Amino acid sequence: MNILGATLRVCVDDLEAAVPFYERLAGTGALRFERGGVQVAAVGCFLLMSGPATELEVLRKVAATIAVTDVDEAVKTLGELGADIIAGPVATPAGRNLIVRHPDGAVYEYVDRRPA
């Protein structure tokens, strides 16, 4: 499994107000989509999320999004290392992902950024 990088997850009250700041900071435009009632904007290394408090409460439990070359390979490697697969793999607008709890209790999203 090759780790390509990480994305910082940021929950915001007002996505429209937050996006211009992060676009200027990252020097790139936002890729926007919606998932489960949550509005999302991927901007550089930031993943901005805004939506119902109950949905954001769950999303805040995920420390970061880790980009890998292949989610299926990540499932195999993480399983061998004793991690628990909480959800996935599933297809998303940004690629296939899965949610994993590491043996130390930290929760991460892994994504291979291959469009469905």
Side-chain angles (χ1 to χ4, degrees), residues 15-16 18-33 39-49:
L15 190 67
E16 295 308 314
V19 165
F21 170 84
Y22 284 94
E23 285 179 327
R24 292 210 43 211
L25 180 64
T28 188
L31 169 64
R32 296 171 183 247
F33 57 94
Q39 297 297 314
V40 180
V43 187
C45 67
F46 300 99
L47 189 63
L48 309 176
M49 300 174 286

Side-chain angles (χ1 to χ4, degrees), residues 61-64 66 78 82-84 86 99-110:
K61 294 177 182 177
V62 178
I66 300 170
L78 290 161
D84 295 320
I86 297 171
I99 306 296
V100 177
R101 181 179 302 109
H102 288 188
D104 62 9
V107 177
Y108 295 93
E109 174 187 37
Y110 286 80

Side-chain angles (χ1 to χ4, degrees), residues 67-104:
V68 295
T69 52
D70 186 337
V71 160
D72 295 327
E73 186 179 339
V75 168
K76 181 178 182 286
T77 300
L78 290 161
E80 290 170 356
L81 294 172
D84 295 320
I85 307 302
I86 297 171
V90 298
T92 74
R96 295 178 310 145
N97 79 341
L98 67 146
I99 306 296
V100 177
R101 181 179 302 109
H102 288 188
D104 62 9

